[in-house]
Every structure is written in structure tokens, then in C-alpha cells.
Amino acid sequence: MNGDESPGLHYFAVKTTSKQERTVADNIQKAVEQSDIKVYAVIAPKELKGYVLVETPEEFARMEQLVERVPHARAVVRGETSFDEIQHFLVPKPVVSGINEGTIVELIAGPFKGEKAVVKRVDTGKEEITVELYESLVPIPITVRGDNVRVIDTREPDD
Amino acid sequence: MVVRRREKILPKVCRECHRLVDGDSCVICNTANLSTDWTGYLVVLDPRRSQVAKKANIDLPGCYALKVR
């Protein structure tokens, strides 16, 4: 626990039905308004599929009571997490972090899906990268979204 | 036969405060700079007591996007 963590706050993970994370977060809000159970915030990060995180001063048993009333919420995960472990979800880093010029990537969406390419330029502000297809005879620059690629190799190509 | 893909319509969020908005402008920021390209969801119920709201620089209760493009 670090210095800026408030005492008495608990962070529980609530298991949800698949793809209903946002619905569950909204439903928890409605359930809290109709009961005396206190919840301060609900987080549904994109990276955490099938779960939402609940910030509450209440104990585990009270959260179980709440979840029983929430449609699409399945159970409260036993044990709790800390603020330190969840705060990285609140300040998401750019998707192009870790991608530099010369990085070999695979396109995972769009018309060139499955093709390998070399990164030629990175636009951190727009979160876009410009690539050239690896096996193309004529080098054509293609600009794609940073989340449409998967990094294969971070080394500079030999030839 | 035409197969129609069911597309999920995401609500708009304000690019400045990341708050989900109903109309064509954000009532908090008074801006029409909105986006439908966002991920992550945060519901703040008590911003004064919430550590999460403090970290996300949120001082009004409501629904927010974590990442907006």
C-alpha cells in the first residue's frame, strides 16, 4: 500500500456475462441508487474481458448482496485487489508505444490482414503508423491504426 | 441474400472531458468535439470519495470513457 491510498476502500472484481461489461457497470449504478450499499466507482477496462472492477468501502458479503440484484453480473471474485494494481487502467498508454521505426509487424485487420510489414514512421499523436509491406516488390507506404498491428520483431531488418 | 451485420452503436463521448453525452454537444465543456471511437468504461458515483475518480481527474459523477481517439 502506498501513501496516497485511502484507508477502508476495497477493490473487487465482479464476473460478468460475456460482452456485458458496460451493461453491468450501468446496472450496478442503478442497483446502488436503489439500495444502501455504497459504491464509489465501477471500471470496465477494455483489457479485462468478462470482469468489472468495483471501488467500494463495503465488505465482500455486502458486494455479494449487491451482485445478486444486478442483471448479467455473475459473482464477486474472492479476494480483493489494490488501487496500485488497477490504476494503470485509468491512464492508458498509447497503442503505438513499443513500436519504433524498423519494427516488424503483422497487420491484423483491413485489406492487408495477415501481411508482414516494416514500420517506417510512427505518429504518436494520431496513434497511427506508416508501414511498408515486407514481401511487396514495390515499396508502397500504408498508414494504419496502431491497434491494427501486432509486433513480431523489434529488431532492425538486416537487408 | 444480403446478410446484415449487426453493428453496435456506441454513444458519443466528449474528447475533452471523456464524458458520455446524449446530444450533439457536451453540456459540461460546451463543445461539439465528440467521438464515437473510444474504449474502456468508467462509472463514477461519488467523485469526492473515489480514489479512481481522483486519479482520472474526474470531479463530477457520471459515465466516462477511459480512452478516446
Side-chain angles (χ1 to χ4, degrees), chain A residues 36-111:
Chain A
D36 61 337
I37 299 173
K38 287 178 194 154
V39 168
Y40 294 162
V42 186
I43 318 166
K46 183 199 169 198
E47 298 88 353
L48 202 62
K49 288 195 168 68
Y51 295 90
V52 295
L53 299 164
V54 179
E55 181 186 49
T56 176
E58 308 279 3
E59 297 298 327
F60 180 81
R62 294 277 280 167
M63 280 314 297
E64 278 192 317
Q65 280 177 16
L66 179 76
V67 161
E68 277 172 18
R69 278 184 250 163
V70 177
H72 296 295
R74 292 168 70 179
V76 188
V77 177
R78 288 210 169 270
E80 60 182 89
T81 182
S82 67
F83 182 68
D84 284 350
E85 284 178 325
I86 63 161
Q87 63 176 337
H88 69 277
F89 290 126
L90 303 169
V91 193
K93 54 179 184 178
V95 283
V96 292
S97 63
I99 302 175
N100 300 309
E101 286 176 23
T103 303
I104 299 167
V105 295
E106 183 187 333
L107 302 181
I108 54 167

